[in-house]
Amino acid sequence: MAAVLRPYDPRDFSALYRLDQACFPAGISYSKTTLRYFLSLRSADCIVATDSGHIVGFILTEENPPLGHVITLDVAEKFRRKGIGSALLAESEKDLALRGVRHVLLETAANNEAGVAFWQRHRYRIEVTLKRYYQGRLDAYEMRKILRTETNERAADSGNLERRPGRKTV
């Protein structure tokens, strides 16, 4: 069955927290308090991927146009390499562009080879190494991407659009 993308619902919180704990080691994964904080930001947006009604991935971003920030992208191990992360990212970037974001940045552990390769496949470039970013000892890369200009021009022409709470199958 194909994964379905939909907006975050506060009832999803426990599943998102468990998924984040499974996807990242302690010190990189978010505490309940921190994850709740990010989800509660007025500037935050979260898209959830489900398969057979179960949450299998999510992307959490924040925006301060013209800058957007990927807070986290989590996909359950069993569902990786099936296009779910790419679909979540594409939908999120489209939504960010519609709201005037021109540049997206993120941080990823420098030793996360699979993660760095994923981001690079999606045209994110390493801009700087953040020394001892995680747990005061693990370096991270700050990666950035410039969103496509034509998408931003269409967004500017159409005004401020809100994301529709529909479903999308990937």
Side-chain angles (χ1 to χ4, degrees):
M1 176 175 247
V4 175
L5 302 185
R6 63 167 175 79
Y8 167 75
D9 181 289
R11 293 173 292 188
D12 298 330
F13 179 79
S14 294
L16 269 57
Y17 174 72
R18 285 191 305 274
L19 181 56
D20 192 65
Q21 295 299 300
C23 288
F24 296 101
I28 295 178
S29 61
Y30 290 115
S31 68
K32 283 183 179 180
T33 302
T34 302
L35 185 59
R36 239 187 224 109
Y37 166 76
F38 283 128
L39 286 164
S40 71
L41 291 174
R42 191 163 197 254
S43 59
D45 189 39
C46 183
I47 303 170
V48 175
T50 63
D51 183 70
S52 301
H54 299 285
I55 293 175
V56 298
F58 73 99
I59 187 167
L60 176 58
T61 62
E62 64 178 332
E63 64 183 68
N64 185 12
L67 185 63
H69 181 224
V70 176
I71 296 169
T72 191
L73 172 61
D74 299 38
V75 176
E77 189 169 356
K78 177 180 167 184
F79 291 88
R80 292 180 190 160
R81 300 196 183 279
K82 297 182 184 210
I84 293 171
S86 294
L88 285 164
L89 181 60
E91 186 71 10
S92 183
E93 286 178 346
K94 182 181 82 175
D95 291 347
L96 288 166
L98 287 172
R99 292 192 301 273
V101 169
R102 307 288 191 266
H103 300 263
V104 180
L105 71 91
L106 61 93
E107 300 81 23
T108 190
N111 67 353
N112 180 358
E113 292 176 16
V116 171
F118 171 86
W119 294 113
Q120 288 176 327
R121 275 194 311 277
H122 293 282
R123 301 185 353 249
Y124 283 79
R125 296 184 336 185
I126 296 170
E127 293 290 320
V128 67
T129 300
L130 305 170
K131 296 292 185 185
R132 296 178 297 284
Y133 183 81
Y134 294 110
Q135 303 169 315
R137 64 178 186 270
L138 181 61
D139 293 349
Y141 293 134
E142 180 181 286
M143 301 183 78
R144 289 182 181 251
K145 177 180 182 177
I146 298 172
L147 296 181
R148 292 177 24 182
T149 305
E150 54 271 31
T151 302
N152 291 324
E153 288 170 1
R154 282 195 311 268
D157 291 342
S158 64
N160 233 354
L161 299 179
E162 291 295 318
R163 188 151 70 87
R164 292 174 288 162
R167 296 173 180 254
K168 182 177 180 179
T169 303
V170 292

